[in-house]
Amino acid sequence: MPIILGRLAVVVAMGLAVCGGLLWAGVIVVPNHLNPFSPLRIADSPSWLTRLKLGRLERNGAQCLAVLADSEVSHKPVTDQPLEQGCGFSNAVEVSRSSVGLSRGFTATCSLTVAWALFEEHVLLPAARRHLGQEIVRVTHFGTYACRNINHRAGGRRSEHATANAIDIAGFVLADGQQITVKGDWIGSDPRRRAFLRALRDGACDVFDVVLSPDYNEAHHDHFHFDMGSYRTCR
């Protein structure tokens, strides 16, 4: 039996290798979002391959900028800021607006900005239409780059904000002028707003590496934290 299982494992491995080669060569054609070898596209719906492809962009600055150029995010590359005491950034962009307005511009790593573009296209805008029946016109955020530790503690590990690899989202403005905030509506009286915010939290987990909401701890009672760090958390 061990010999048979060993031979079967070899056959399976060879089959996977052949299929991988045919995919790479383009002999086998599958949809872009299901092809692990094809570049990420903002237009593709998130799948189990999305975060794999985002990871590649973190290691390939030129390809990341090419993906971002095919989005609605208005941006320009910024000069690298070498790490000093755990703070700084590389392959970052300055964002002035995206498919919606922003309370202010921000500087973020290219991969975080691509993830934000995916989030807007496939999570934020559809959730607003589904739960609120209208468009989002502006996003209010607390910022991206800040040379600090996690939760502003005096000691401990640096936050992903220290490398411009995180963004904190506080609220949204609808087309009719209504404002929705994480602080006021996460456990507010309007079930549509609660459902909208939870849809954002859940959908963000398909794109970002770390997603923290008011359900995580008191420090996040008034915002969502999204980052592209080395950990994986969805709370």
Side-chain angles (χ1 to χ4, degrees):
M1 181 64 71
I3 295 177
I4 295 175
L5 291 176
R7 290 176 177 174
L8 180 61
V10 170
V11 171
V12 171
M14 291 177 63
L16 290 174
V18 170
C19 289
L22 293 175
L23 277 172
W24 179 263
V27 176
I28 298 178
V29 179
V30 298
N32 186 79
H33 69 290
L34 297 177
N35 185 343
F37 301 109
S38 64
L40 179 68
R41 296 190 310 182
I42 302 299
D44 292 334
S45 298
S47 71
W48 63 277
L49 291 170
T50 300
R51 292 178 62 252
L52 170 68
K53 294 183 178 184
L54 281 167
R56 290 179 189 159
L57 298 184
E58 294 176 6
R59 301 183 294 272
N60 189 329
Q63 186 180 77
C64 186
L65 290 173
V67 171
L68 198 54
D70 195 32
S71 75
E72 295 188 48
V73 177
S74 297
H75 67 282
K76 61 180 180 180
V78 296
T79 303
D80 290 353
Q81 184 169 313
L83 285 177
E84 292 186 7
Q85 299 183 335
C87 296
F89 48 78
S90 60
N91 194 36
V93 295
E94 181 181 325
V95 177
S96 55
R97 68 165 289 121
S98 50
S99 60
V100 298
L102 300 169
S103 55
R104 57 190 169 97
F106 61 79
T107 297
T109 59
C110 180
S111 59
L112 176 69
T113 308
V114 168
W116 175 257
L118 285 166
F119 171 75
E120 279 192 357
E121 175 77 14
H122 301 288
V123 181
L124 176 60
L125 299 182
R129 295 168 189 141
R130 182 169 64 253
H131 294 285
L132 306 171
Q134 56 181 304
E135 300 293 326
I136 295 290
V137 296
R138 188 166 72 251
V139 172
T140 303
H141 67 89
F142 288 157
T144 51
Y145 179 64
C147 184
R148 64 173 176 82
N149 296 331
I150 293 175
N151 292 336
H152 300 273
R153 294 170 182 157
R157 183 164 56 87
R158 285 296 195 195
S159 167
E160 289 297 320
H161 286 287
T163 53
N165 208 27
I167 186 169
D168 290 340
I169 304 301
F172 312 89
V173 179
L174 303 179
D176 66 0
Q178 292 185 68
Q179 297 188 38
I180 296 178
T181 65
V182 176
K183 180 179 181 179
D185 294 304
W186 183 257
I187 55 174
S189 60
D190 190 328
R192 298 174 305 160
R193 293 184 174 211
R194 295 199 306 268
F196 167 68
L197 291 175
R198 279 158 180 76
L200 298 190
R201 189 271 310 276
D202 296 346
C205 294
D206 294 331
V207 178
F208 299 96
D209 288 331
V210 171
V211 174
L212 303 178
S213 72
D215 283 350
Y216 180 59
N217 61 15
E218 177 60 24
H220 295 84
H221 74 284
D222 60 353
H223 69 278
F224 293 135
H225 169 96
F226 301 151
D227 77 48
M228 298 300 289
S230 55
Y231 297 88
R232 175 64 176 159
T233 304
C234 179
R235 296 284 296 277

